[in-house]
Amino acid sequence: MATAADADAMRRAIQLAARGLGSTSPNPIVGCVILDASGQPVGAGFHQRAGGPHAEVHALRDAGERARGGTAYVTLEPCNHTGRTGPCAQALIDAGIGRVVYAVGDPNPQATGGGDTLRAAGIKVESGLLADEAEAGNIAWLTSVRLGRPYVLWKYAATLDGRIAAQDGTSRWITSSESRADVHRLRAEADAVIVGSGTARADDPHLAVRGIEGAVNEVMPSGTQPLRVVVDTDATAVRPGARVLDDAAPTLIAVAEDAETELPDVVRLPRADRGLSVAALLEALHQRGIRSVLLEGGPTLAGAFVAAGAVDKVVGYLAPVLLGAGPAALADAGISTITEALRLDVTETVRIGPDLRITAVPATTPKER
C-alpha cells in the first residue's frame, strides 16, 4: 500500500514531467524522483528533449551511488527498448534500485514491458500510484499512441454572447492582453498550431510563439517553435509574403489534391464535405511526429473538427463584452438536434485578467478517426 511519502514523491515527479511540455515530442513527458534506502530524496530528473536522456537517467545521475537500494518513482512505465537512448529499465537495474513505482503503463508496443523486466531482475515493482494525475499531464502523448492521431485542443476567444468578431468582421481585440499571453503558453506546449483559410485571409496570422520565458527577443528559437499549419483547401488564402511563411517557425500548407499552387512545404490531402479530410490531415501530421495540436482556426474549421470527432479538449476565453451580432465561435458541426449535442465536462474555470478561461473535455470518448 502506498504511503504519504510515496504519493509526495510521485507528485513531485509529475510536476517535473510538466517541465518537458513542448520539447519532448514525439516522446512523452516523464518525470522521475529517487529516494534512497532510508527514504531521503537523492535524485530527480525529467525528460528534457527528444533524443536526449530519459527522466530516469537524469535522476540516476543526480543520485549517483545513493540510488542503490532506493526507490524510483516514475510517471510512466520505464521503457524496455533501445531507440536513440538505451532502455531505462536496464539503467534502473544497473544502478541497483530496489523498488520502482510508476504511475501509468506504457501503451507503446515498442517500449512496453519495462515492469516485467524489472520484476525479472528481482526489483519490487508497483504501478498505478496517482495514475489519473500523471495521465492528465501526459494526455497528448497517450492519446496519440492510443488513437494513432495527434491530440487536439481547440482554443477560441469570444464575447459572453458567443461572438468571435463584430458584424463588420473586426475582432482585435475581444479578449485581454493577459488572455492573449496565455494563448502563447498553449502554443509553446503544442507540436503544431492549425488555422483555416478564413483566418489566414482575415488576420494574416503569424502563429509563432512570443513572450515565453527564455525566448530570444521575445520569440522562441526556431527549433522549439510549433509547426504552423494552414488548411487552405483551394490554395487561395496563403500568398507569397504572408507572415506565416517567414522563417520564425516551420510552416505546412494543407491543400486539396487537385489544387494548383507553387507554394513550398505543401501537403496534398483528399477533399471532404467540409473542405479537407480532417482524418487525413491528422494522419499526415502524425506521420511527421506531431503528437499535439492547438486548433486556432475559425468557426468553419472548428466545426469540421467537431463533426469528425477530433476535438479532445476545449479552451474558451470569454471576455466581459457583448456584441449581439457577428460570427459565432462554432459553425456547422453536423449537429442538427439537441439530442446530438456534444456534451462537455468542465474541468477548470480560471480568471485571466478580466476574462474567464473555461476548460472542458468531451463527456464521451472522441471517435477514432
Side-chain angles (χ1 to χ4, degrees):
M1 182 176 179
T3 65
D6 291 331
D8 289 344
M10 184 62 78
R11 191 162 286 112
R12 185 185 173 206
I14 292 170
Q15 293 168 348
L16 284 169
R19 295 173 61 181
L21 282 170
S23 62
T24 66
S25 189
N27 295 347
I29 61 167
V30 183
C32 178
V33 168
I34 296 175
L35 304 187
D36 66 15
S38 66
Q40 296 302 307
V42 293
F46 67 97
H47 185 37
Q48 300 176 14
R49 61 179 179 83
H54 291 186
E56 295 94 324
V57 174
H58 282 297
L60 289 170
R61 288 175 180 173
D62 189 29
E65 282 299 314
R66 295 173 296 176
R68 191 163 299 276
T71 300
Y73 300 84
V74 195
T75 57
L76 185 69
E77 181 182 8
C79 67
N80 198 42
H81 79 302
T82 299
R84 284 185 282 183
T85 61
C88 291
Q90 189 61 49
L92 292 165
I93 294 169
D94 293 343
I97 287 288
R99 175 176 173 240
V100 173
V101 181
Y102 65 85
V104 179
D106 193 334
N108 183 353
Q110 294 180 326
T112 192
D116 291 338
T117 296
L118 292 166
R119 290 186 185 93
I123 295 175
K124 183 178 181 181
V125 179
E126 301 168 25
S127 62
L129 178 61
L130 300 186
D132 289 346
E133 292 181 32
E135 176 148 342
N138 213 15
I139 191 62
W141 182 82
L142 289 168
T143 296
S144 73
V145 173
R146 292 165 178 165
L147 300 187
R149 64 157 175 81
Y151 177 87
V152 178
L153 187 161
W154 170 41
K155 160 264 164 188
Y156 71 93
T159 62
L160 281 184
D161 54 342
R163 307 296 176 177
I164 62 168
Q167 192 170 27
D168 65 357
T170 56
S171 61
R172 296 187 177 182
W173 295 103
I174 285 176
T175 53
S176 64
S177 59
E178 293 92 338
S179 288
R180 297 195 297 276
D182 196 59
V183 170
H184 282 280
R185 176 188 60 81
L186 294 181
R187 286 183 184 175
E189 294 177 355
D191 295 340
V193 179
I194 303 180
V195 298
S197 56
T199 300
R201 289 192 187 93
D203 299 336
D204 187 21
H206 191 232
L207 301 181
V209 178
R210 300 184 300 276
I212 299 297
E213 183 180 353
V216 178
N217 295 325
E218 295 189 336
V219 178
M220 294 179 68
S222 59
T224 57
Q225 287 281 358
L227 175 68
R228 299 177 292 187
V229 181
V230 180
V231 179
D232 188 6
T233 304
D234 296 310
T236 58
V238 180
R239 296 298 186 184
R243 297 174 69 214
V244 77
L245 296 178
D246 69 11
D247 60 0
T251 299
L252 183 68
I253 311 299
V255 303
E257 293 170 324
D258 57 351
E260 295 184 6
T261 179
E262 296 181 358
L263 289 174
D265 300 319
V266 168
V267 59
R268 295 184 177 277
L269 301 172
R271 291 181 181 268
D273 292 340
R274 303 167 186 275
L276 296 180
S277 165
V278 170
L281 172 62
L282 292 176
E283 181 180 2
L285 293 176
H286 193 264
Q287 291 176 352
R288 285 169 169 78
I290 300 299
R291 298 296 179 258
S292 61
V293 162
L294 177 62
L295 179 62
E296 289 198 46
T300 300
L301 188 62
F305 270 73
V306 171
V311 172
D312 301 293
K313 180 186 287 188
V314 180
V315 175
Y317 296 86
L318 300 183
V321 176
L322 298 176
L323 285 174
L330 185 66
D332 180 15
I335 299 169
S336 59
T337 180
I338 194 67
T339 58
E340 298 174 353
L342 177 59
R343 303 289 178 177
L344 306 175
D345 292 329
V346 174
T347 60
E348 183 185 52
T349 57
V350 178
R351 285 286 299 270
I352 305 288
D355 307 323
L356 182 65
R357 185 186 71 201
I358 299 178
T359 303
V361 297
T364 56
T365 303
K367 303 171 187 174
E368 296 188 20
R369 293 187 180 182

